Amino acid sequence: MIPILENLDRVRKSIPADVKLVAVSKTMPIETIREAYDAGQRIFGENKAQEMIDKEPQLPEDIEWHFIGHLQRNKVKQIVPFVSLIESVDSLRLLREINKEAAKIDRLIPCLLQFHIAEEESKFGLSLEEAEDLLDSDEYMDFDNIRLCGVMGMATFTTDDEQIRREFRALKVYYEHLKKNYFQDDQAFREISMGMTNDYHIALDEGTTMVRIGSAIFGERNY
Ligand SMILES: *Cc1c(COP(=O)(O)O)cnc(C)c1O
């Protein structure tokens, strides 16, 4: 048995009160998520749309579901009715689809722009230039059902702490650049989602506002 209550307590004590904790519940069964819920956790993160769609109706309504994985456009319609933050927006096309589906049901969907900060090719995300192109586009101006709330990124999977630190610093620089040039008067644009089980201590040093933690809470995943 994984001591979820103890794990959650330990993780919570290790992050400041103003940093949001996203409990990454991917691959975890409903009972396990409910245990974390009963221990007071309210924000959960999932990286597969279908999995999140299946879990959501089985769990309490006051859960805030964050979508943190690569989102296919054909799944947008099904998550838009309940998702509270899409952390992984990496294209104008995706944003367009989210806006379209959100408009149909009259919702405003909070989103983060995901940046590619890791060395690994495999990880998704925008470059600063791509993000600026998106924000400069005429189309973006007309997305009335999207609220951009900040940035997200995943560091390289490595034991080299200095490399991870450099990548997190780069994300913070991107955030500050966008804040200054596009969102200066927008209170909603304030999140930097960075840090997972193995690197969130570094992310805290580098100014994260939102950590996404799975294994330190739920134990190792069996795929
Ligand atoms: C799985 C995942 C996490 C959490 O990973 P842990 O190492 O288990 O903490 C965080 N962010 C994203 C995008 C993930 O896919």
Side-chain angles (χ1 to χ4, degrees), residues 35-55:
E35 240 185 279
Y37 179 89
D38 290 340
Q41 181 64 28
R42 289 296 178 269
I43 309 178
F44 291 88
E46 291 282 339
N47 72 334
K48 296 227 159 48
Q50 194 56 52
E51 190 176 334
M52 191 169 80
I53 292 160
D54 293 341
K55 285 173 173 174

Side-chain angles (χ1 to χ4, degrees), residues 21-218:
L21 172 61
V22 180
V24 176
S25 50
K26 62 192 188 192
T27 79
M28 295 300 154
I30 298 296
E31 311 82 76
T32 305
I33 301 174
R34 192 178 287 278
E35 240 185 279
Y37 179 89
D38 290 340
Q41 181 64 28
R42 289 296 178 269
I43 309 178
F44 291 88
E46 291 282 339
N47 72 334
K48 296 227 159 48
Q50 194 56 52
E51 190 176 334
M52 191 169 80
I53 292 160
D54 293 341
K55 285 173 173 174
E56 186 269 339
Q58 304 182 59
L59 284 155
E61 279 202 4
D62 63 341
I63 285 181
E64 292 177 34
W65 292 99
H66 286 201
F67 190 76
I68 61 173
H70 186 63
L71 183 54
Q72 279 162 342
R73 276 172 292 139
N74 63 5
K75 292 289 181 192
V76 166
K77 185 188 176 72
Q78 282 172 281
I79 74 165
V80 150
F82 68 88
V83 74
S84 65
L85 181 64
I86 299 177
E87 297 201 19
S88 45
V89 170
D90 60 359
S91 72
L92 183 64
R93 289 201 313 175
L94 177 59
L95 210 53
R96 178 187 305 142
E97 186 69 17
I98 298 167
N99 186 66
K100 186 182 96 190
E101 293 302 331
K104 284 185 193 165
I105 58 170
D106 201 21
R107 272 203 83 194
L108 183 64
I109 307 294
C111 295
L112 305 181
L113 293 176
Q114 181 174 358
F115 281 88
H116 188 278
I117 54 170
E119 254 172 23
E120 292 138 272
E121 280 294 324
S122 59
K123 291 188 175 150
F124 292 100
L126 301 158
S127 63
L128 183 58
E129 193 185 347
E130 289 167 335
E132 291 190 296
D133 285 347
L134 187 159
L135 295 169
D136 288 332
S137 68
D138 293 339
E139 200 181 355
Y140 168 71
M141 304 290 163
D142 293 333
F143 290 163
D144 294 332
N145 293 75
I146 302 278
R147 169 171 284 160
L148 286 185
C149 299
V151 302
M152 181 271 232
M154 279 170 96
T156 304
F157 187 69
T158 173
T159 53
D160 181 350
D161 285 2
E162 283 313 306
Q163 180 177 353
I164 294 170
R165 193 177 292 282
R166 280 196 300 275
E167 293 173 359
F168 286 158
R169 279 191 185 155
L171 185 62
K172 176 109 192 273
V173 169
Y174 296 159
Y175 165 80
E176 276 165 354
H177 179 85
L178 297 183
K179 180 77 190 169
K180 179 161 158 277
N181 290 295
Y182 296 90
F183 298 98
Q184 196 140 47
D185 302 316
D186 184 347
Q187 294 295 318
F189 193 87
R190 56 164 183 239
E191 304 292 354
I192 306 175
S193 174
M194 59 186 186
M196 315 180 7
T197 294
N198 289 320
D199 58 21
Y200 76 91
H201 291 97
I202 304 173
L204 290 173
D205 283 348
E206 299 304 331
T208 184
T209 67
M210 191 181 279
V211 292
R212 310 176 310 270
I213 298 181
S215 7
I217 298 170
F218 297 112

